[in-house]
């Protein structure tokens, strides 16, 4: 069992829908990252969280440390949001990130 | 633009060959991480360097090696290439100049990747 699990693995939505991607982890962490990988392969860091909630534009990320769970929300989704969204955690004082396998999102016009 | 650069963008080579991938971190970043992403697989951590020294090792094959130079750019060397080495290779750097032991939560900034195809 992976230490970082993402769900769903694949997601198809219609433009304008509210989207939620979930990340659960089984280790103690010092931080959790959400990243976006574009169809061409490029990776962009979206959020880094250690508690609470962060918002950037139409993206919202939340984390519940007690439940070891984080969610990434996309409001008013758009076809340009189509990408793979990856969750990664930094376990304790470990320098390495533990990666989820990603959620592939397709937003149809 | 993350500020992290990688060259080349694409590389096509034959089995048995040796290639070198290059990464320049963001200005001021001391840590460089290398990752491999194969088709249908998540990112696999290979190795981390901090200020010229190896700091952490992941799933890096013995045929692969890396180094970080005094100007903080890093190179990943892949030798005796096999078909299965075809993948996207990313480097990332972490922000700030604090000691790595207190910067465990630093955000990572990714380069655009090098797509390696081994024929």
């Amino acid at each position: 069992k992976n230490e970082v699990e993402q769900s769903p693995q694949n997601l198809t939505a219609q433009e304008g829908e509210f989207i939620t991607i979930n990340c659960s982890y089984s280790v103690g962490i010092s931080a959790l990252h959400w990243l976006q990988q574009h169809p061409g392969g490029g990776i962009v860091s979206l959020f880094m969280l250690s508690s609470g909630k962060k918002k950037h534009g139409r993206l919202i990320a939340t984390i519940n440390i007690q439940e070891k769970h984080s969610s990434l929300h996309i409001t008013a989704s758009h076809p340009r949001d189509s990408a793979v969204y990856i969750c990664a955690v930094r376990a304790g004082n470990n320098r390495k990130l533990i990666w989820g396998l990603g959620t592939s999102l397709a937003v149809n016009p | 633009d993350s500020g992290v650069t990688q060259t080349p963008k694409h590389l096509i080579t034959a089995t048995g060959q040796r290639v070198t991938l290059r990464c320049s971190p963001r200005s001021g970043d001391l840590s460089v991480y290398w990752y491999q992403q194969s088709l249908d697989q998540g990112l696999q951590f290979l190795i981390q360097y901090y200020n010229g020294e190896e700091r952490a090792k992941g799933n890096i094959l013995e045929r692969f090696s890396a180094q970080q130079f005094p100007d903080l750019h890093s190179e990943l060397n892949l030798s005796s290439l096999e078909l299965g080495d075809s993948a996207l290779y990313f480097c990332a750097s972490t922000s700030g100049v604090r000691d790595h032991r207190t910067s465990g939560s630093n955000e990572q900034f990714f380069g655009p990747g090098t797509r390696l195809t081994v024929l």
Side-chain angles (χ1 to χ4, degrees), chain A residues 30-31 33 35 37 40-43 45 48 86 90 95-97 99 101, chain B residues 33 35 37 42-43 45 48 55 57 90 100 104-108 110 115:
Chain A
S30 58
H33 300 253
L35 303 102
Q37 184 170 26
I43 294 177
S45 178
M48 183 180 67
I86 305 170
R90 188 178 300 279
R95 304 175 194 92
K96 296 180 287 187
L97 292 179
W99 299 86
L101 293 180
Chain B
Y33 300 75
Y35 296 92
Q37 185 180 39
L43 284 160
F45 169 70
Q48 180 210 355
R55 281 304 188 187
K57 227 171 187 177
F90 289 98
H100 70 282
S105 298
N106 269 354
E107 185 173 1
Q108 293 196 354
F110 281 80
R115 185 175 293 279

PDB file of all heavy atoms in Angstrom, chain A residues 30-31 33 35 37 40-43 45 48 86 90 95-97 99 101, chain B residues 33 35 37 42-43 45 48 55 57 90 100 104-108 110 115:
ATOM      1  N   SER A  30       5.576  16.891   7.751  1.00  0.00           N
ATOM      2  CA  SER A  30       5.859  18.278   8.079  1.00  0.00           C
ATOM      3  C   SER A  30       5.245  19.221   7.053  1.00  0.00           C
ATOM      4  O   SER A  30       5.072  20.404   7.326  1.00  0.00           O
ATOM      5  CB  SER A  30       7.367  18.517   8.169  1.00  0.00           C
ATOM      6  OG  SER A  30       7.992  18.181   6.950  1.00  0.00           O
ATOM      7  N   ALA A  31       4.947  18.706   5.871  1.00  0.00           N
ATOM      8  CA  ALA A  31       4.316  19.532   4.842  1.00  0.00           C
ATOM      9  C   ALA A  31       3.713  18.652   3.765  1.00  0.00           C
ATOM     10  O   ALA A  31       4.139  17.502   3.583  1.00  0.00           O
ATOM     11  CB  ALA A  31       5.325  20.489   4.195  1.00  0.00           C
ATOM     12  N   HIS A  33       2.406  18.902  -0.384  1.00  0.00           N
ATOM     13  CA  HIS A  33       2.471  19.706  -1.609  1.00  0.00           C
ATOM     14  C   HIS A  33       1.409  19.240  -2.595  1.00  0.00           C
ATOM     15  O   HIS A  33       1.162  18.039  -2.723  1.00  0.00           O
ATOM     16  CB  HIS A  33       3.833  19.551  -2.287  1.00  0.00           C
ATOM     17  CG  HIS A  33       4.999  19.964  -1.454  1.00  0.00           C
ATOM     18  ND1 HIS A  33       5.709  21.128  -1.694  1.00  0.00           N
ATOM     19  CD2 HIS A  33       5.600  19.385  -0.390  1.00  0.00           C
ATOM     20  CE1 HIS A  33       6.695  21.222  -0.826  1.00  0.00           C
ATOM     21  NE2 HIS A  33       6.646  20.185  -0.011  1.00  0.00           N
ATOM     22  N   LEU A  35       0.848  19.636  -6.713  1.00  0.00           N
ATOM     23  CA  LEU A  35       1.506  20.064  -7.938  1.00  0.00           C
ATOM     24  C   LEU A  35       0.623  19.733  -9.127  1.00  0.00           C
ATOM     25  O   LEU A  35      -0.229  18.855  -9.064  1.00  0.00           O
ATOM     26  CB  LEU A  35       2.871  19.390  -8.094  1.00  0.00           C
ATOM     27  CG  LEU A  35       3.831  19.615  -6.937  1.00  0.00           C
ATOM     28  CD1 LEU A  35       3.872  18.395  -6.033  1.00  0.00           C
ATOM     29  CD2 LEU A  35       5.229  19.918  -7.448  1.00  0.00           C
ATOM     30  N   GLN A  37       0.785  18.838 -13.250  1.00  0.00           N
ATOM     31  CA  GLN A  37       1.635  18.459 -14.380  1.00  0.00           C
ATOM     32  C   GLN A  37       0.830  18.608 -15.654  1.00  0.00           C
ATOM     33  O   GLN A  37      -0.195  17.964 -15.856  1.00  0.00           O
ATOM     34  CB  GLN A  37       2.150  17.031 -14.258  1.00  0.00           C
ATOM     35  CG  GLN A  37       3.109  16.659 -15.385  1.00  0.00           C
ATOM     36  CD  GLN A  37       3.808  15.361 -15.154  1.00  0.00           C
ATOM     37  OE1 GLN A  37       3.295  14.485 -14.453  1.00  0.00           O
ATOM     38  NE2 GLN A  37       4.998  15.206 -15.716  1.00  0.00           N
ATOM     39  N   GLY A  40       2.118  18.466 -21.536  1.00  0.00           N
ATOM     40  CA  GLY A  40       3.463  18.436 -22.118  1.00  0.00           C
ATOM     41  C   GLY A  40       4.519  17.931 -21.154  1.00  0.00           C
ATOM     42  O   GLY A  40       5.676  17.721 -21.556  1.00  0.00           O
ATOM     43  N   GLY A  41       4.169  17.748 -19.887  1.00  0.00           N
ATOM     44  CA  GLY A  41       5.100  17.203 -18.905  1.00  0.00           C
ATOM     45  C   GLY A  41       5.559  18.194 -17.851  1.00  0.00           C
ATOM     46  O   GLY A  41       6.054  17.789 -16.816  1.00  0.00           O
ATOM     47  N   GLY A  42       5.423  19.483 -18.111  1.00  0.00           N
ATOM     48  CA  GLY A  42       5.911  20.470 -17.156  1.00  0.00           C
ATOM     49  C   GLY A  42       5.181  20.407 -15.829  1.00  0.00           C
ATOM     50  O   GLY A  42       3.982  20.138 -15.776  1.00  0.00           O
ATOM     51  N   ILE A  43       5.894  20.621 -14.756  1.00  0.00           N
ATOM     52  CA  ILE A  43       5.324  20.528 -13.406  1.00  0.00           C
ATOM     53  C   ILE A  43       5.369  21.892 -12.748  1.00  0.00           C
ATOM     54  O   ILE A  43       6.393  22.576 -12.765  1.00  0.00           O
ATOM     55  CB  ILE A  43       6.096  19.511 -12.554  1.00  0.00           C
ATOM     56  CG1 ILE A  43       5.911  18.110 -13.128  1.00  0.00           C
ATOM     57  CG2 ILE A  43       5.633  19.551 -11.100  1.00  0.00           C
ATOM     58  CD1 ILE A  43       6.697  17.046 -12.409  1.00  0.00           C
ATOM     59  N   SER A  45       4.346  23.869  -9.074  1.00  0.00           N
ATOM     60  CA  SER A  45       3.943  23.732  -7.689  1.00  0.00           C
ATOM     61  C   SER A  45       2.735  24.627  -7.438  1.00  0.00           C
ATOM     62  O   SER A  45       2.764  25.821  -7.753  1.00  0.00           O
ATOM     63  CB  SER A  45       5.096  24.135  -6.769  1.00  0.00           C
ATOM     64  OG  SER A  45       4.714  24.043  -5.420  1.00  0.00           O
ATOM     65  N   MET A  48       1.833  24.557  -0.958  1.00  0.00           N
ATOM     66  CA  MET A  48       2.520  23.827   0.096  1.00  0.00           C
ATOM     67  C   MET A  48       1.775  24.118   1.384  1.00  0.00           C
ATOM     68  O   MET A  48       1.554  25.282   1.715  1.00  0.00           O
ATOM     69  CB  MET A  48       3.975  24.265   0.222  1.00  0.00           C
ATOM     70  CG  MET A  48       4.753  23.490   1.249  1.00  0.00           C
ATOM     71  SD  MET A  48       6.447  24.054   1.359  1.00  0.00           S
ATOM     72  CE  MET A  48       6.219  25.706   2.023  1.00  0.00           C
ATOM     73  N   ILE A  86      -0.878  16.190  -8.610  1.00  0.00           N
ATOM     74  CA  ILE A  86      -0.064  15.283  -7.810  1.00  0.00           C
ATOM     75  C   ILE A  86       0.050  15.803  -6.388  1.00  0.00           C
ATOM     76  O   ILE A  86       0.301  16.990  -6.171  1.00  0.00           O
ATOM     77  CB  ILE A  86       1.349  15.148  -8.412  1.00  0.00           C
ATOM     78  CG1 ILE A  86       1.271  14.715  -9.888  1.00  0.00           C
ATOM     79  CG2 ILE A  86       2.173  14.151  -7.615  1.00  0.00           C
ATOM     80  CD1 ILE A  86       2.599  14.802 -10.609  1.00  0.00           C
ATOM     81  N   ARG A  90       6.050  15.498   2.774  1.00  0.00           N
ATOM     82  CA  ARG A  90       7.384  15.402   3.362  1.00  0.00           C
ATOM     83  C   ARG A  90       7.198  14.802   4.740  1.00  0.00           C
ATOM     84  O   ARG A  90       6.571  15.401   5.602  1.00  0.00           O
ATOM     85  CB  ARG A  90       8.043  16.757   3.448  1.00  0.00           C
ATOM     86  CG  ARG A  90       9.515  16.672   3.865  1.00  0.00           C
ATOM     87  CD  ARG A  90      10.141  18.043   3.881  1.00  0.00           C
ATOM     88  NE  ARG A  90      10.103  18.686   2.590  1.00  0.00           N
ATOM     89  CZ  ARG A  90      10.960  18.449   1.610  1.00  0.00           C
ATOM     90  NH1 ARG A  90      11.904  17.559   1.771  1.00  0.00           N
ATOM     91  NH2 ARG A  90      10.856  19.094   0.458  1.00  0.00           N
ATOM     92  N   ARG A  95      14.169  14.573   4.204  1.00  0.00           N
ATOM     93  CA  ARG A  95      14.357  15.555   3.153  1.00  0.00           C
ATOM     94  C   ARG A  95      13.599  15.192   1.883  1.00  0.00           C
ATOM     95  O   ARG A  95      13.408  16.014   1.017  1.00  0.00           O
ATOM     96  CB  ARG A  95      15.836  15.681   2.806  1.00  0.00           C
ATOM     97  CG  ARG A  95      16.710  16.023   3.992  1.00  0.00           C
ATOM     98  CD  ARG A  95      18.170  16.006   3.598  1.00  0.00           C
ATOM     99  NE  ARG A  95      19.034  16.014   4.759  1.00  0.00           N
ATOM    100  CZ  ARG A  95      19.488  14.943   5.344  1.00  0.00           C
ATOM    101  NH1 ARG A  95      19.180  13.764   4.870  1.00  0.00           N
ATOM    102  NH2 ARG A  95      20.261  15.023   6.396  1.00  0.00           N
ATOM    103  N   LYS A  96      13.177  13.936   1.795  1.00  0.00           N
ATOM    104  CA  LYS A  96      12.569  13.477   0.552  1.00  0.00           C
ATOM    105  C   LYS A  96      11.065  13.662   0.591  1.00  0.00           C
ATOM    106  O   LYS A  96      10.442  13.702   1.644  1.00  0.00           O
ATOM    107  CB  LYS A  96      12.891  12.000   0.336  1.00  0.00           C
ATOM    108  CG  LYS A  96      14.371  11.723   0.155  1.00  0.00           C
ATOM    109  CD  LYS A  96      14.629  10.260  -0.064  1.00  0.00           C
ATOM    110  CE  LYS A  96      14.445   9.477   1.208  1.00  0.00           C
ATOM    111  NZ  LYS A  96      14.862   8.065   1.022  1.00  0.00           N
ATOM    112  N   LEU A  97      10.493  13.766  -0.604  1.00  0.00           N
ATOM    113  CA  LEU A  97       9.047  13.803  -0.723  1.00  0.00           C
ATOM    114  C   LEU A  97       8.544  12.411  -1.086  1.00  0.00           C
ATOM    115  O   LEU A  97       9.181  11.695  -1.849  1.00  0.00           O
ATOM    116  CB  LEU A  97       8.619  14.797  -1.800  1.00  0.00           C
ATOM    117  CG  LEU A  97       8.866  16.277  -1.513  1.00  0.00           C
ATOM    118  CD1 LEU A  97       8.413  17.114  -2.693  1.00  0.00           C
ATOM    119  CD2 LEU A  97       8.123  16.707  -0.268  1.00  0.00           C
ATOM    120  N   TRP A  99       5.557  10.627  -2.996  1.00  0.00           N
ATOM    121  CA  TRP A  99       4.634  11.077  -4.033  1.00  0.00           C
ATOM    122  C   TRP A  99       3.432  10.179  -4.192  1.00  0.00           C
ATOM    123  O   TRP A  99       3.543   8.953  -4.132  1.00  0.00           O
ATOM    124  CB  TRP A  99       5.368  11.117  -5.378  1.00  0.00           C
ATOM    125  CG  TRP A  99       6.512  12.057  -5.389  1.00  0.00           C
ATOM    126  CD1 TRP A  99       7.785  11.810  -4.982  1.00  0.00           C
ATOM    127  CD2 TRP A  99       6.485  13.417  -5.802  1.00  0.00           C
ATOM    128  NE1 TRP A  99       8.546  12.933  -5.138  1.00  0.00           N
ATOM    129  CE2 TRP A  99       7.789  13.930  -5.637  1.00  0.00           C
ATOM    130  CE3 TRP A  99       5.487  14.258  -6.314  1.00  0.00           C
ATOM    131  CZ2 TRP A  99       8.110  15.251  -5.955  1.00  0.00           C
ATOM    132  CZ3 TRP A  99       5.813  15.551  -6.643  1.00  0.00           C
ATOM    133  CH2 TRP A  99       7.112  16.037  -6.447  1.00  0.00           C
ATOM    134  N   LEU A 101       0.410   8.986  -6.930  1.00  0.00           N
ATOM    135  CA  LEU A 101       0.513   8.646  -8.345  1.00  0.00           C
ATOM    136  C   LEU A 101      -0.197   9.652  -9.237  1.00  0.00           C
ATOM    137  O   LEU A 101      -0.091   9.567 -10.457  1.00  0.00           O
ATOM    138  CB  LEU A 101      -0.035   7.239  -8.586  1.00  0.00           C
ATOM    139  CG  LEU A 101       0.785   6.118  -7.950  1.00  0.00           C
ATOM    140  CD1 LEU A 101       0.164   4.767  -8.247  1.00  0.00           C
ATOM    141  CD2 LEU A 101       2.222   6.158  -8.433  1.00  0.00           C
TER     142      LEU A 101
ATOM    143  N   TYR B  33      17.192  18.434  -6.524  1.00  0.00           N
ATOM    144  CA  TYR B  33      16.635  17.083  -6.476  1.00  0.00           C
ATOM    145  C   TYR B  33      16.471  16.585  -7.910  1.00  0.00           C
ATOM    146  O   TYR B  33      16.054  17.342  -8.783  1.00  0.00           O
ATOM    147  CB  TYR B  33      15.250  17.089  -5.824  1.00  0.00           C
ATOM    148  CG  TYR B  33      15.203  17.593  -4.404  1.00  0.00           C
ATOM    149  CD1 TYR B  33      15.312  18.947  -4.112  1.00  0.00           C
ATOM    150  CD2 TYR B  33      15.014  16.718  -3.344  1.00  0.00           C
ATOM    151  CE1 TYR B  33      15.249  19.420  -2.804  1.00  0.00           C
ATOM    152  CE2 TYR B  33      14.937  17.175  -2.028  1.00  0.00           C
ATOM    153  CZ  TYR B  33      15.063  18.532  -1.781  1.00  0.00           C
ATOM    154  OH  TYR B  33      14.995  18.986  -0.495  1.00  0.00           O
ATOM    155  N   TYR B  35      14.474  13.658 -10.286  1.00  0.00           N
ATOM    156  CA  TYR B  35      13.361  12.720 -10.315  1.00  0.00           C
ATOM    157  C   TYR B  35      13.267  12.084 -11.692  1.00  0.00           C
ATOM    158  O   TYR B  35      13.596  12.699 -12.705  1.00  0.00           O
ATOM    159  CB  TYR B  35      12.033  13.435 -10.052  1.00  0.00           C
ATOM    160  CG  TYR B  35      11.913  14.058  -8.686  1.00  0.00           C
ATOM    161  CD1 TYR B  35      12.277  15.375  -8.471  1.00  0.00           C
ATOM    162  CD2 TYR B  35      11.408  13.318  -7.617  1.00  0.00           C
ATOM    163  CE1 TYR B  35      12.159  15.949  -7.214  1.00  0.00           C
ATOM    164  CE2 TYR B  35      11.279  13.892  -6.356  1.00  0.00           C
ATOM    165  CZ  TYR B  35      11.659  15.211  -6.172  1.00  0.00           C
ATOM    166  OH  TYR B  35      11.530  15.773  -4.925  1.00  0.00           O
ATOM    167  N   GLN B  37      10.381  10.163 -14.130  1.00  0.00           N
ATOM    168  CA  GLN B  37       8.965   9.854 -14.311  1.00  0.00           C
ATOM    169  C   GLN B  37       8.815   9.023 -15.572  1.00  0.00           C
ATOM    170  O   GLN B  37       8.939   9.533 -16.680  1.00  0.00           O
ATOM    171  CB  GLN B  37       8.126  11.119 -14.404  1.00  0.00           C
ATOM    172  CG  GLN B  37       6.626  10.818 -14.468  1.00  0.00           C
ATOM    173  CD  GLN B  37       5.797  12.081 -14.563  1.00  0.00           C
ATOM    174  OE1 GLN B  37       6.185  13.020 -15.252  1.00  0.00           O
ATOM    175  NE2 GLN B  37       4.670  12.124 -13.888  1.00  0.00           N
ATOM    176  N   GLY B  42       4.333   7.440 -11.319  1.00  0.00           N
ATOM    177  CA  GLY B  42       4.536   8.698 -10.625  1.00  0.00           C
ATOM    178  C   GLY B  42       6.004   9.064 -10.596  1.00  0.00           C
ATOM    179  O   GLY B  42       6.871   8.338 -11.076  1.00  0.00           O
ATOM    180  N   LEU B  43       6.252  10.211 -10.033  1.00  0.00           N
ATOM    181  CA  LEU B  43       7.626  10.671  -9.910  1.00  0.00           C
ATOM    182  C   LEU B  43       8.398   9.780  -8.953  1.00  0.00           C
ATOM    183  O   LEU B  43       7.931   9.456  -7.869  1.00  0.00           O
ATOM    184  CB  LEU B  43       7.650  12.107  -9.407  1.00  0.00           C
ATOM    185  CG  LEU B  43       7.288  13.165 -10.437  1.00  0.00           C
ATOM    186  CD1 LEU B  43       6.873  14.450  -9.775  1.00  0.00           C
ATOM    187  CD2 LEU B  43       8.453  13.415 -11.376  1.00  0.00           C
ATOM    188  N   PHE B  45      11.888   9.605  -6.854  1.00  0.00           N
ATOM    189  CA  PHE B  45      13.033  10.384  -6.387  1.00  0.00           C
ATOM    190  C   PHE B  45      14.316   9.618  -6.650  1.00  0.00           C
ATOM    191  O   PHE B  45      14.433   8.437  -6.326  1.00  0.00           O
ATOM    192  CB  PHE B  45      12.873  10.668  -4.897  1.00  0.00           C
ATOM    193  CG  PHE B  45      14.099  11.222  -4.233  1.00  0.00           C
ATOM    194  CD1 PHE B  45      14.532  12.511  -4.515  1.00  0.00           C
ATOM    195  CD2 PHE B  45      14.821  10.468  -3.329  1.00  0.00           C
ATOM    196  CE1 PHE B  45      15.654  13.027  -3.899  1.00  0.00           C
ATOM    197  CE2 PHE B  45      15.942  10.972  -2.711  1.00  0.00           C
ATOM    198  CZ  PHE B  45      16.372  12.262  -2.996  1.00  0.00           C
ATOM    199  N   GLN B  48      19.410  13.729  -4.135  1.00  0.00           N
ATOM    200  CA  GLN B  48      19.421  15.134  -3.763  1.00  0.00           C
ATOM    201  C   GLN B  48      20.835  15.585  -3.461  1.00  0.00           C
ATOM    202  O   GLN B  48      21.596  14.859  -2.811  1.00  0.00           O
ATOM    203  CB  GLN B  48      18.555  15.392  -2.530  1.00  0.00           C
ATOM    204  CG  GLN B  48      18.540  16.858  -2.103  1.00  0.00           C
ATOM    205  CD  GLN B  48      18.345  17.071  -0.615  1.00  0.00           C
ATOM    206  OE1 GLN B  48      18.125  16.128   0.125  1.00  0.00           O
ATOM    207  NE2 GLN B  48      18.429  18.316  -0.176  1.00  0.00           N
ATOM    208  N   ARG B  55      23.020  14.491  -0.395  1.00  0.00           N
ATOM    209  CA  ARG B  55      22.299  14.546   0.874  1.00  0.00           C
ATOM    210  C   ARG B  55      21.337  13.394   1.054  1.00  0.00           C
ATOM    211  O   ARG B  55      21.075  12.969   2.171  1.00  0.00           O
ATOM    212  CB  ARG B  55      21.508  15.848   0.981  1.00  0.00           C
ATOM    213  CG  ARG B  55      22.336  17.039   1.367  1.00  0.00           C
ATOM    214  CD  ARG B  55      23.071  16.833   2.662  1.00  0.00           C
ATOM    215  NE  ARG B  55      23.725  18.030   3.125  1.00  0.00           N
ATOM    216  CZ  ARG B  55      24.532  18.064   4.169  1.00  0.00           C
ATOM    217  NH1 ARG B  55      24.774  16.972   4.853  1.00  0.00           N
ATOM    218  NH2 ARG B  55      25.079  19.201   4.535  1.00  0.00           N
ATOM    219  N   LYS B  57      19.559   9.777  -1.079  1.00  0.00           N
ATOM    220  CA  LYS B  57      19.526   8.910  -2.247  1.00  0.00           C
ATOM    221  C   LYS B  57      18.210   8.154  -2.272  1.00  0.00           C
ATOM    222  O   LYS B  57      17.750   7.649  -1.243  1.00  0.00           O
ATOM    223  CB  LYS B  57      20.686   7.914  -2.180  1.00  0.00           C
ATOM    224  CG  LYS B  57      21.476   7.783  -3.451  1.00  0.00           C
ATOM    225  CD  LYS B  57      22.720   6.943  -3.221  1.00  0.00           C
ATOM    226  CE  LYS B  57      23.578   6.961  -4.457  1.00  0.00           C
ATOM    227  NZ  LYS B  57      24.831   6.234  -4.286  1.00  0.00           N
ATOM    228  N   PHE B  90      13.207  15.073 -14.257  1.00  0.00           N
ATOM    229  CA  PHE B  90      13.004  16.417 -13.729  1.00  0.00           C
ATOM    230  C   PHE B  90      14.049  16.717 -12.672  1.00  0.00           C
ATOM    231  O   PHE B  90      14.477  15.845 -11.925  1.00  0.00           O
ATOM    232  CB  PHE B  90      11.636  16.544 -13.055  1.00  0.00           C
ATOM    233  CG  PHE B  90      10.479  16.537 -13.990  1.00  0.00           C
ATOM    234  CD1 PHE B  90       9.760  15.376 -14.212  1.00  0.00           C
ATOM    235  CD2 PHE B  90      10.104  17.698 -14.645  1.00  0.00           C
ATOM    236  CE1 PHE B  90       8.682  15.366 -15.081  1.00  0.00           C
ATOM    237  CE2 PHE B  90       9.013  17.703 -15.509  1.00  0.00           C
ATOM    238  CZ  PHE B  90       8.310  16.534 -15.727  1.00  0.00           C
ATOM    239  N   HIS B 100      19.625  22.927   5.432  1.00  0.00           N
ATOM    240  CA  HIS B 100      18.607  21.984   4.986  1.00  0.00           C
ATOM    241  C   HIS B 100      17.918  21.314   6.163  1.00  0.00           C
ATOM    242  O   HIS B 100      16.791  20.885   6.072  1.00  0.00           O
ATOM    243  CB  HIS B 100      19.219  20.927   4.071  1.00  0.00           C
ATOM    244  CG  HIS B 100      20.128  19.973   4.790  1.00  0.00           C
ATOM    245  ND1 HIS B 100      21.410  20.282   5.144  1.00  0.00           N
ATOM    246  CD2 HIS B 100      19.888  18.735   5.289  1.00  0.00           C
ATOM    247  CE1 HIS B 100      21.951  19.265   5.772  1.00  0.00           C
ATOM    248  NE2 HIS B 100      21.065  18.310   5.875  1.00  0.00           N
ATOM    249  N   GLY B 104      13.015  21.705   6.031  1.00  0.00           N
ATOM    250  CA  GLY B 104      12.355  20.489   5.568  1.00  0.00           C
ATOM    251  C   GLY B 104      11.065  20.722   4.852  1.00  0.00           C
ATOM    252  O   GLY B 104      10.579  19.860   4.138  1.00  0.00           O
ATOM    253  N   SER B 105      10.474  21.873   5.013  1.00  0.00           N
ATOM    254  CA  SER B 105       9.189  22.097   4.363  1.00  0.00           C
ATOM    255  C   SER B 105       9.307  23.010   3.164  1.00  0.00           C
ATOM    256  O   SER B 105       8.312  23.487   2.656  1.00  0.00           O
ATOM    257  CB  SER B 105       8.208  22.717   5.370  1.00  0.00           C
ATOM    258  OG  SER B 105       7.987  21.839   6.431  1.00  0.00           O
ATOM    259  N   ASN B 106      10.513  23.258   2.701  1.00  0.00           N
ATOM    260  CA  ASN B 106      10.663  24.168   1.576  1.00  0.00           C
ATOM    261  C   ASN B 106       9.946  23.660   0.339  1.00  0.00           C
ATOM    262  O   ASN B 106      10.014  22.495  -0.003  1.00  0.00           O
ATOM    263  CB  ASN B 106      12.145  24.365   1.249  1.00  0.00           C
ATOM    264  CG  ASN B 106      12.732  25.531   1.992  1.00  0.00           C
ATOM    265  OD1 ASN B 106      12.029  26.263   2.665  1.00  0.00           O
ATOM    266  ND2 ASN B 106      14.019  25.716   1.868  1.00  0.00           N
ATOM    267  N   GLU B 107       9.267  24.577  -0.324  1.00  0.00           N
ATOM    268  CA  GLU B 107       8.590  24.268  -1.564  1.00  0.00           C
ATOM    269  C   GLU B 107       9.619  23.949  -2.646  1.00  0.00           C
ATOM    270  O   GLU B 107      10.670  24.568  -2.705  1.00  0.00           O
ATOM    271  CB  GLU B 107       7.748  25.462  -1.972  1.00  0.00           C
ATOM    272  CG  GLU B 107       6.874  25.257  -3.186  1.00  0.00           C
ATOM    273  CD  GLU B 107       5.967  26.446  -3.394  1.00  0.00           C
ATOM    274  OE1 GLU B 107       6.045  27.404  -2.612  1.00  0.00           O
ATOM    275  OE2 GLU B 107       5.184  26.409  -4.355  1.00  0.00           O
ATOM    276  N   GLN B 108       9.304  22.993  -3.475  1.00  0.00           N
ATOM    277  CA  GLN B 108      10.197  22.626  -4.561  1.00  0.00           C
ATOM    278  C   GLN B 108       9.739  23.274  -5.858  1.00  0.00           C
ATOM    279  O   GLN B 108       8.561  23.295  -6.180  1.00  0.00           O
ATOM    280  CB  GLN B 108      10.240  21.111  -4.735  1.00  0.00           C
ATOM    281  CG  GLN B 108      10.891  20.398  -3.569  1.00  0.00           C
ATOM    282  CD  GLN B 108      11.274  18.975  -3.903  1.00  0.00           C
ATOM    283  OE1 GLN B 108      10.956  18.467  -4.972  1.00  0.00           O
ATOM    284  NE2 GLN B 108      11.961  18.328  -2.980  1.00  0.00           N
ATOM    285  N   PHE B 110      10.184  23.167  -9.919  1.00  0.00           N
ATOM    286  CA  PHE B 110      10.590  22.180 -10.902  1.00  0.00           C
ATOM    287  C   PHE B 110      11.070  22.819 -12.193  1.00  0.00           C
ATOM    288  O   PHE B 110      10.535  23.831 -12.643  1.00  0.00           O
ATOM    289  CB  PHE B 110       9.426  21.241 -11.228  1.00  0.00           C
ATOM    290  CG  PHE B 110       9.217  20.193 -10.185  1.00  0.00           C
ATOM    291  CD1 PHE B 110       8.547  20.487  -9.008  1.00  0.00           C
ATOM    292  CD2 PHE B 110       9.707  18.920 -10.364  1.00  0.00           C
ATOM    293  CE1 PHE B 110       8.371  19.527  -8.039  1.00  0.00           C
ATOM    294  CE2 PHE B 110       9.526  17.949  -9.402  1.00  0.00           C
ATOM    295  CZ  PHE B 110       8.859  18.250  -8.239  1.00  0.00           C
ATOM    296  N   ARG B 115      13.114  15.019 -21.707  1.00  0.00           N
ATOM    297  CA  ARG B 115      12.491  13.783 -22.165  1.00  0.00           C
ATOM    298  C   ARG B 115      13.545  12.927 -22.845  1.00  0.00           C
ATOM    299  O   ARG B 115      14.059  13.302 -23.903  1.00  0.00           O
ATOM    300  CB  ARG B 115      11.340  14.066 -23.114  1.00  0.00           C
ATOM    301  CG  ARG B 115      10.577  12.810 -23.527  1.00  0.00           C
ATOM    302  CD  ARG B 115       9.358  13.131 -24.364  1.00  0.00           C
ATOM    303  NE  ARG B 115       8.333  13.830 -23.621  1.00  0.00           N
ATOM    304  CZ  ARG B 115       7.455  13.253 -22.806  1.00  0.00           C
ATOM    305  NH1 ARG B 115       7.489  11.944 -22.636  1.00  0.00           N
ATOM    306  NH2 ARG B 115       6.536  13.968 -22.192  1.00  0.00           N
TER     307      ARG B 115
END
